[in-house]
């Protein structure tokens, strides 16, 4: 029996359960393994075997020599696949791990192989593939009882869901990651990530107050961890959440400026996103000259990085400025350019926001039929995406557009933010 063998060798070595657990596991987890109530993953078993000075095969029972050789082959292949992943050669990693799945009978090895496949698909932006493989292998992760593997699995699944704009599912998955990473020192980074992305999921669903509360909890933990980039990401989320709650709030400006400072110091690629958010806040504070400069700087960076959906978001702000100044033709052309950019890399919420803006532009041009058409498309799309507050804004505009008296810019400006 696996657990009994581990206990016998541990006691012979004079090690406590806490010493055997080290930083990777908990004493309670070792206790469960020794009682036969949990099965260690392949990675955890390798760590245990190394600490006890025994080969992995010793703990796997009376396996034949052929079976032992097979185990060595699959372990070597798993290590090689991990190396390919580290080298960002995701296609090779996926091929190796899929081949590995046909060779091994070990659930532990299969679990680690599936995690590599899911991570590789996510890194190569094939999110639906990542989600598909995750759904088919979830039972293996659950059965493993390895909290680190479970946390990493749900973080990756949450990432796939959020990029697929399946925000309700993302919220559920990040909640799972948060649960499994709780109260484990060796999962502190993953715990903070779980909180951060859980808050982001709430924000995308329009659950602004819940998002703020969770971001604040993440901020408190990240402050102690001392990672500038992680702290900056959380501060950026808080800035966005406070802006959604009240575009004129001082908290929004405070946290966004803090995000800009932290991400700049941390030399993070997310620095441009924080600058982008700062520009939007400054527009609402009538600091238009400086805001436009920042927006153009951000647009150039998005061009360099080939991020058309982010560039479309910049053009949305510029189009709104033209609309505010009564330049409806210019506003229309810029907004259409932004919509065309989404043909390259689509973003459902961003597309719906642009449709909403087009509806407002056509209403200003007294083209009521097109105004209604675009506002209806915006609302329907946001409802399908479960984007709560965004859908509500489009619905409010839809109602305003049907009023018999004229709807002016200041009637609908609040719903375009």
């Amino acid at each position: 029996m696996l657990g009994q063998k581990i206990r016998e060798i541990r006691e012979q070595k004079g090690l406590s359960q806490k010493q055997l657990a080290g930083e990777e596991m908990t004493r309670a987890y070792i206790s469960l393994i020794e009682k036969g109530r949990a099965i260690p993953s392949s990675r955890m078993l390798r760590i245990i075997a190394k600490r006890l000075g025994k080969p992995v095969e010793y703990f796997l029972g009376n396996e034949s020599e052929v079976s032992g050789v097979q185990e060595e082959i699959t372990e070597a292949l798993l290590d090689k696949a991990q190396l390919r992943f580290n080298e960002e050669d995701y296609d090779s990693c996926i091929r190796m791990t899929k081949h590995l799945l046909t060779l091994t009978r070990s659930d532990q090895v299969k679990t680690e192989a599936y995690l590599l496949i899911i991570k590789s698909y996510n890194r190569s932006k094939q999110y639906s593939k990542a989600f598909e493989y995750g759904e088919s292998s979830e039972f293996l992760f659950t059965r493993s009882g390895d909290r680190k593997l479970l946390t990493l699995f749900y973080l990756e699944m949450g990432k796939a869901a959020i990029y697929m704009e399946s925000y309700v599912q993302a919220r559920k998955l990040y909640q799972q990651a948060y649960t499994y990473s709780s109260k484990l020192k060796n999962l502190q980074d993953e715990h903070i990530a779980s909180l951060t992305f859980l808050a982001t999921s709430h924000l995308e669903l329009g659950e602004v107050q819940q998002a703020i509360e969770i971001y604040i909890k993440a901020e408190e933990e990240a402050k102690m961890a001392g990672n500038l980039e992680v702290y900056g990401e959380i501060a950026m989320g808080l800035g966005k959440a406070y802006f959604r709650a009240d575009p004129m709030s001082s908290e929004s400006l405070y946290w966004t400026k803090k995000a800009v400072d932290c991400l700049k110091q941390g030399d993070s690629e997310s620095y441009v996103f924080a600058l982008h958010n700062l520009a939007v806040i400054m527009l609402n504070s009538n600091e238009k000259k400086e805001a436009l400069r920042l927006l153009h700087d951000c647009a150039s960076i998005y061009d360099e990085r080939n991020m058309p959906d982010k560039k479309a978001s910049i053009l949305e702000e510029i189009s709104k400025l033209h609309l505010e100044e009564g330049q409806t033709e210019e506003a229309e052309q810029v907004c259409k350019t932004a919509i065309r950019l989404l043909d390259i890399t689509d973003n459902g919420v961003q597309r719906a926001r642009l449709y909403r803006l087009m509806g407002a532009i056509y209403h200003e041009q007294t083209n009521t039929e097109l105004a209604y058409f675009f506002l209806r498309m915006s609302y329907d799309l946001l409802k399908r995406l479960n984007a709560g507050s965004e859908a509500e804004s489009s619905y409010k505009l839809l109602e305003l557009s049907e009023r018999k008296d004229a709807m002016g810019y200041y009637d609908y400006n609040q719903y375009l933010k």
Side-chain angles (χ1 to χ4, degrees):
M1 186 178 178
L2 175 64
Q4 187 176 343
K5 285 185 176 181
I6 289 172
R7 180 179 177 179
E8 287 173 358
I9 302 301
R10 176 181 63 77
E11 290 178 346
Q12 288 174 19
K13 295 277 185 181
L15 296 175
S16 67
Q17 289 179 335
K18 186 175 182 180
Q19 287 172 321
L20 181 56
E23 290 295 318
E24 295 81 8
M25 295 164 275
T26 63
R27 185 209 62 78
Y29 182 54
I30 294 296
S31 177
L32 288 173
I33 292 171
E34 292 185 350
K35 291 174 182 177
R37 295 179 186 173
I39 300 173
S41 68
S42 179
R43 183 174 68 87
M44 290 302 176
L45 185 55
R46 289 199 299 272
I47 292 170
I48 290 170
K50 186 175 180 181
R51 285 190 182 141
L52 295 177
K54 293 285 185 181
V56 171
E57 290 76 20
Y58 175 85
F59 299 100
L60 295 177
N62 297 319
E63 295 182 301
S64 67
E65 187 176 342
V66 172
S67 181
V69 171
Q70 188 79 350
E71 185 72 23
E72 287 180 15
I73 292 171
T74 55
E75 291 286 349
L77 192 55
L78 186 62
D79 289 341
K80 194 172 182 181
Q82 180 65 60
L83 181 62
R84 292 289 180 269
F85 178 84
N86 295 341
E87 293 171 347
E88 300 183 9
D89 185 356
Y90 303 124
D91 289 340
S92 294
C93 180
I94 290 168
R95 283 197 303 272
M96 285 181 185
T97 43
K98 284 183 179 179
H99 178 55
L100 173 60
L101 290 171
T102 68
L103 296 176
T104 185
R105 290 179 296 174
S106 166
D107 282 354
Q108 299 157 6
V109 174
K110 285 179 182 177
T111 304
E112 293 190 48
Y114 272 113
L115 183 59
L116 269 179
I117 290 172
I118 296 162
K119 287 167 66 177
S120 295
Y121 275 129
N122 267 343
R123 300 306 180 276
S124 54
K125 299 183 180 180
Q126 299 181 66
Y127 304 112
S128 59
K129 279 280 189 184
F131 202 81
E132 177 189 334
Y133 272 85
E135 283 190 314
S136 67
S137 61
E138 184 174 8
F139 74 98
L140 284 170
F141 289 89
T142 304
R143 197 160 65 191
S144 76
D146 185 326
R147 289 179 65 175
K148 180 158 190 174
L149 280 175
L150 279 160
T151 299
L152 294 174
F153 169 74
Y154 284 117
L155 279 173
E156 291 296 331
M157 287 293 282
K159 180 177 182 176
I162 212 161
Y163 275 101
M164 291 162 61
E165 298 184 279
S166 182
Y167 301 118
V168 172
Q169 189 71 17
R171 180 182 61 191
K172 177 183 174 183
L173 292 161
Y174 285 129
Q175 181 64 55
Q176 289 278 63
Y178 168 71
T179 301
Y180 282 112
S181 62
S182 296
K183 299 179 182 178
L184 287 180
K185 290 182 180 178
N186 64 311
L187 291 179
Q188 184 186 38
D189 291 344
E190 289 82 1
H191 187 62
I192 294 170
S194 301
L195 279 172
T196 305
F197 296 130
L198 178 58
T200 302
S201 302
H202 279 292
L203 188 59
E204 293 292 352
L205 287 165
E207 299 161 353
V208 178
Q209 194 54 47
Q210 295 97 314
I212 290 172
E213 290 170 7
I214 297 170
Y215 274 131
I216 288 173
K217 189 184 292 187
E219 185 268 339
E220 289 169 353
E221 297 203 21
K223 189 188 296 181
M224 292 186 288
N227 185 313
L228 275 175
E229 184 171 8
V230 170
Y231 190 86
E233 295 276 3
I234 295 167
M236 182 163 58
L238 266 170
K240 288 174 70 174
Y242 277 119
F243 183 77
R244 290 274 188 92
D246 177 8
M248 301 303 293
S249 73
S250 59
E251 289 95 340
S252 177
L253 185 61
Y254 169 80
W255 284 108
T256 304
K257 283 184 174 180
K258 183 169 281 239
V260 169
D261 291 342
C262 288
L263 293 170
K264 185 176 182 180
Q265 288 181 59
D267 195 26
S268 170
E269 289 190 357
S270 297
Y271 173 60
V272 64
F273 305 142
L275 276 183
H276 184 165
N277 292 345
L278 181 61
V280 172
I281 293 169
M282 291 171 73
L283 282 175
N284 282 274
S285 303
N286 288 318
E287 299 177 58
K288 293 180 183 177
K289 186 175 180 181
E290 179 62 15
L292 274 172
R293 185 189 68 78
L294 288 178
L295 285 175
H296 285 298
D297 288 347
C298 291
S300 298
I301 296 171
Y302 291 148
D303 281 336
E304 290 171 8
R305 295 187 187 175
N306 191 26
M307 302 176 77
D309 55 328
K310 293 294 184 182
K311 174 76 174 287
S313 180
I314 296 282
L315 294 181
E316 177 191 355
E317 299 302 327
I318 294 172
S319 178
K320 284 193 286 189
L321 279 175
H322 284 304
L323 181 61
E324 182 180 353
E325 293 166 5
Q327 302 166 346
T328 59
E329 288 187 9
E330 290 87 344
E332 179 185 356
Q333 290 307 312
V334 172
C335 193
K336 283 180 176 177
T337 300
I339 291 171
R340 283 195 293 271
L341 282 173
L342 295 182
D343 292 338
I344 304 169
T345 303
D346 204 2
N347 177 314
V349 172
Q350 182 59 54
R351 181 176 289 276
R353 286 176 59 89
L354 291 169
Y355 286 164
R356 183 167 66 209
L357 180 55
M358 283 297 293
I361 292 168
Y362 281 127
H363 192 278
E364 279 291 277
Q365 294 175 347
T366 66
N367 191 334
T368 54
E369 287 187 11
L370 274 179
Y372 180 86
F373 174 72
F374 274 96
L375 290 171
R376 169 57 66 179
M377 282 204 304
S378 174
Y379 173 67
D380 290 345
L381 178 53
L382 290 166
K383 281 291 285 183
R384 286 199 300 273
L385 294 171
N386 289 301
S389 60
E390 292 281 9
E392 185 180 348
S393 292
S394 291
Y395 184 72
K396 292 288 187 184
L397 269 178
L398 197 57
E399 284 188 319
L400 281 173
S401 71
E402 293 178 303
R403 287 189 343 194
K404 290 184 180 179
D405 54 322
M407 178 178 74
Y409 175 77
Y410 291 100
D411 291 318
Y412 54 72
N413 179 42
Q414 61 180 311
Y415 301 115
L416 295 177
K417 294 188 188 301

